[in-house]
Amino acid sequence: MIFDKETAKQTAEVLLQINAIKLQPNDPFTWASGWKSPIYCDNRIVLSFPPIRNYIRESMAKHIEAHYGKVDVIAGVATGAIGIGILVAEYLGLPFIYVRPEAKSHGRQNQIEGFIESGQNVVVIEDLISTGKSSLNAVKALKEANVKVKGMVAIFSYGFEVASKNFETAKVELHTLSNYENLLEQALDTKYINAKEQEVLSLWNNNPSEWNAI
């Protein structure tokens, strides 16, 4: 779920401007999963553009304040959301922690890095939501540490149905600054894509694992 339409379209626009998101319906990418995809998203690029990272930081922080109220700690999902998570925590004046995909096999064998106390209220920051599995793995680790996860905020979501089901099953509230639907609207409005390309991109989103470039 997006926070609001204006934020969704503006976020989509800045991500397209810096090529954090690329749309190539006629020359698709191949994901690590083997899926052919007309979109590639790398939101870590945001960190290299100060005005845009500040926009993302402030948008996330203000929405967190308005929607979640009192928060004790901001948690980032490693590794993609560590940078933006730190920026959000700094803006809000809150402690920051991050969650690894799994516990380290050496040293203190931490999965959660940083100081967290039982019962604290946490909002999780993520850069990108695809199926949601890795994001929800971080939530699981936090809940096992006996903290209250108030919700998750991400920069962008592909809007896959499987992700919605995964978050619903896990009973985790997800909000994103933008999503695939609003990305396509903005890309069409700014003539980044044409109507035929929009149709191709929509078809991919409906069935990404079976999609073939047209």
Side-chain angles (χ1 to χ4, degrees), residues 49-135:
F49 295 84
I52 292 173
R53 79 176 181 223
N54 288 341
Y55 163 74
I56 297 293
R57 175 194 67 175
E58 291 174 20
S59 295
M60 280 191 159
K62 288 175 181 177
H63 283 302
I64 287 169
E65 284 183 314
H67 188 78
Y68 291 109
K70 183 182 182 298
V71 177
D72 299 309
V73 179
I74 296 295
V77 180
T79 58
I82 291 177
I84 195 66
I86 289 171
L87 291 171
V88 171
E90 182 180 24
Y91 186 91
L92 293 171
L94 293 174
F96 175 77
I97 62 174
Y98 70 87
V99 187
R100 298 175 179 273
E102 57 187 21
K104 291 190 299 184
S105 59
H106 59 281
R108 293 166 60 190
Q109 300 182 335
N110 292 340
Q111 183 172 3
I112 299 171
E113 297 289 0
F115 180 75
I116 189 82
E117 289 185 296
S118 177
Q120 287 187 306
N121 293 311
V122 178
V123 169
V124 183
I125 303 295
E126 184 61 287
D127 65 326
L128 175 66
I129 304 294
S130 53
T131 65
K133 287 185 179 179
S134 59
S135 307

Side-chain angles (χ1 to χ4, degrees), residues 129-130 156-164 178-181 205-206:
I129 304 294
S130 53
F156 184 80
S157 169
Y158 288 118
F160 295 147
E161 184 178 351
V162 64
S164 298
S178 193
N179 61 11
Y180 195 77
E181 178 185 354
N205 191 250
N206 291 334

